[in-house]
Amino acid sequence: MSKTYSGGVPLAEVVRSGFVEGLHRGSVVVLDAAGATVAAAGDVGSPVFPRSASKPMQTVGMLRAGLPLTDPADVAIVSASHAGEEFHVARVGALLAGAGLDESDLGCPPDLPMGELAREAVLRAGGGPTRGRMNCSGKHAGMLLTCLAAGWPRAGYRQPEHPLQLALRATVQECTGEPVAAVGVDGCGAPVLAVSLTGLARAYLRLVSAGPGSPERAVADAMRAHPELVGGTWAEDSRLMRGLPGTLAKIGAEGVIAAALPGVGAVALKIDDGATRARMPVLVSALRRLGVRAPVLDEYAELPLLGGGVPVGAVRPVW
């Protein structure tokens, strides 16, 4: 594995009034059900930060370390990049309260909900940023509960050398089948681990293919059973899992998304400029290479562009 991501190739074009006004470059890999590469573009072998697309693997590591969750909805919220809607905040709060903790114990920064309507509702009610509304609060709650279960100190749980983070790093390496190439600080303050897109796709395929009763299968089943907790009412990964049953999907910052279907295969991609608008059209193109068809994919095959309030073009895949 190279230590440096070399960047991708044109994956999507921005067409306005029949004129191509821009391109989104990136990298994408498609694996079949056996884990063999059936299609790829760009640099899929060098490390990137998957950002929040790593969360399912981190939850696997927490369960292995003793995270005492029996409700699949709790497993889903720990794996989430939630939108900060009230049902997300309530679920995180209940997790913390059950362990004698509260939002002040979370190491993630305060934030407002991600959705515009939810943000406006909070502000109109006189509220403001809170740690529970931060999209990674479920993960941080899970990390705190894992420390309590394993007898590890809660202090410094975000630090890369903490026993919790060492255990999660080992799990990521096992799931991806490759060493972590770099350790950074994610937006929530916890470590983010660099692996290749091929390794990321391999990990998602492993989760959906794992046997019943395993931590991997528990995470995949929980996320697929409660997609609205993983993202939110309108989140891309939540809508994909609702509309294509059996799919495990998770977005990450900087244009990352990974998805897998048992018995079918897996996809992982990164849009180099971090643009979210190109992510889903490219994912649809990749899934169709595996023979996947569903109305929800048709919805995301192209992203409409508006001019004067009416559609005048689209962001569409060129790969």
Side-chain angles (χ1 to χ4, degrees), residues 120-163:
E120 291 178 353
V122 168
L123 295 173
R124 279 198 306 270
T130 66
R131 296 182 189 275
R133 292 191 176 106
M134 200 272 167
N135 74 90
C136 297
S137 65
K139 177 180 76 174
H140 282 257
M143 288 180 172
L144 289 170
L145 268 62
T146 303
C147 288
L148 291 175
W152 295 328
R154 287 189 288 125
Y157 77 88
R158 301 187 319 178
Q159 299 305 312
E161 65 274 11
H162 190 281

Side-chain angles (χ1 to χ4, degrees), residues 51-105:
R51 304 297 295 273
S52 286
S54 295
K55 285 178 178 174
M57 293 181 282
Q58 292 173 310
T59 305
V60 169
M62 291 185 230
L63 292 175
R64 289 179 175 178
L67 177 61
L69 299 182
T70 57
D71 189 335
D74 289 332
V75 177
I77 199 69
V78 168
S79 309
S81 296
H82 64 73
E85 297 173 81
E86 288 307 313
F87 63 92
H88 296 128
V89 179
R91 175 66 63 173
V92 173
L95 263 182
L96 292 169
L101 306 173
D102 59 35
E103 283 192 10
S104 66
D105 294 297

Side-chain angles (χ1 to χ4, degrees), residues 242-300:
R242 280 196 299 267
L244 191 57
T247 304
L248 174 67
K250 184 72 187 68
I251 60 173
E254 296 299 322
V256 175
I257 191 168
L261 269 165
V264 177
V267 174
L269 67 90
K270 174 179 173 59
I271 305 300
D272 287 351
D273 62 7
T276 58
R277 66 179 183 177
R279 183 165 55 193
M280 289 302 288
V282 176
L283 179 68
V284 170
S285 176
L287 288 173
R288 285 176 172 170
R289 290 168 183 259
L290 290 171
V292 180
R293 299 289 187 271
V296 69
L297 299 186
D298 298 336
E299 294 176 25
Y300 283 115

Side-chain angles (χ1 to χ4, degrees), residues 173-192:
Q173 292 184 148
E174 180 183 337
C175 288
T176 59
E178 61 188 45
V180 166
V183 180
V185 181
D186 214 335
C188 65
V192 59

